[in-house]
Amino acid sequence: GNSVTQMEGPVTLSEEAFLTINCTYTATGYPSLFWYVQYPGEGLQLLLKATKADDKGSNKGFEATYRKETTSFHLEKGSVQVSDSAVYFCALLSGSNYKLTFGKGTLLTVNP
Amino acid sequence: NAGVTQTPKFQVLKTGQSMTLQCAQDMNHEYMSWYRQDPGMGLRLIHYSVGAGITDQGEVPNGYNVSRSTTEDFPLRLLSAAPSQTSVYFCASSTGQAGGYGYTFGSGTRLTVV
């Protein structure tokens, strides 16, 4: 079956630090990959996506590249801000399967 | 454009009570889903629907019922609440090309069963 594994949190960084949150997946076929962000007390928002190998998704300074050879979709940001503090979820959607499979989430805290 | 609307935002139930969590979307999305979020567990799929009149079970369906009589609405029913159903519940919807557009999530219902 499909599964997503993302790095355990929590992650605590200082403002302007570099961020990497690792995500690897197991899936049949050629999944679409997503990063969602959940700010405190809110629902999930789509942060970025990639639908085929070597695609790079980007939004709000965050980037992630779909690496089929390593089955990975790591989230990166060059300089984090306090406002980036949130829980980040990696997720996949496999082929015609419309059911999202989520990782367990990574809590990021950015201190000023 | 309201997106996905969930009500109520908070609810406390006694064990054995029943209730319905409401979810409505105004984007004419075909696909709708219910997830529950628990600490350290991520989000787990409860039930989903690919269109009006069509529903199916997800990963953790026990204790929950759904129906989809219209495209817009996808209520989740708890038949006899148990403390294990204490969780945050999210409804989500998507177009037919779910892989391309991702899902839109509601703001959640925080349910406590005592």
Side-chain angles (χ1 to χ4, degrees):
Chain A
N2 299 334
S3 68
V4 175
T5 303
Q6 59 182 106
M7 65 185 289
E8 298 277 338
V11 174
T12 303
L13 296 174
S14 297
E15 205 164 24
E16 299 184 359
F18 184 85
L19 168 71
T20 300
I21 301 178
N22 290 336
C23 172
T24 58
Y25 67 89
T26 302
T28 54
Y30 301 93
S32 295
L33 302 173
F34 305 86
W35 277 99
Y36 282 85
V37 58
Q38 183 180 32
Y39 298 104
E42 299 184 10
L44 279 72
Q45 302 174 25
L46 179 63
L47 180 60
L48 54 84
K49 62 178 173 67
T51 56
K52 61 183 186 295
D54 299 325
D55 267 3
K56 177 185 283 188
S58 61
N59 186 25
K60 299 181 180 180
F62 291 90
E63 293 182 340
T65 301
Y66 188 142
R67 301 289 188 198
K68 191 172 188 301
E69 63 275 15
T70 55
T71 62
S72 65
F73 193 55
H74 305 321
L75 182 68
E76 297 182 337
K77 187 175 186 182
S79 177
V80 294
Q81 306 299 311
V82 172
S83 57
D84 294 327
S85 297
V87 180
Y88 292 82
F89 291 93
C90 186
L92 71 83
L93 202 68
S94 179
S96 60
N97 184 337
Y98 36 78
K99 294 180 282 186
L100 277 171
T101 299
F102 286 91
K104 294 185 177 181
T106 302
L107 173 63
L108 170 67
T109 301
V110 181
N111 295 318
Chain B
N1 191 345
V4 178
T5 302
Q6 290 184 237
T7 56
K9 291 190 182 301
F10 301 94
Q11 182 71 49
V12 178
L13 287 180
K14 293 183 179 179
T15 298
Q17 286 185 316
S18 63
M19 79 159 294
T20 299
L21 280 63
Q22 301 291 344
C23 175
Q25 53 92 6
D26 61 358
M27 298 170 285
N28 201 33
H29 283 175
E30 297 173 38
Y31 299 134
M32 297 187 74
S33 306
W34 277 102
Y35 291 85
R36 58 177 290 174
Q37 182 180 25
D38 302 293
M41 301 292 289
L43 281 85
R44 294 179 291 170
L45 181 65
I46 305 172
H47 285 285
Y48 63 95
S49 168
V50 301
I54 306 170
T55 63
D56 206 345
Q57 297 180 351
E59 184 182 353
V60 288
N62 292 341
Y64 307 95
N65 274 358
V66 292
S67 60
R68 184 97 179 269
S69 57
T70 67
T71 300
E72 294 77 20
D73 299 300
F74 191 43
L76 179 71
R77 297 181 184 85
L78 280 70
L79 306 175
S80 178
S84 60
Q85 294 178 304
T86 294
S87 186
V88 182
Y89 292 84
F90 289 100
C91 180
S93 72
S94 178
T95 69
Q97 296 298 321
Y101 300 107
Y103 276 77
T104 301
F105 282 79
S107 58
T109 295
R110 184 175 295 276
L111 175 68
T112 302
V113 182
V114 297

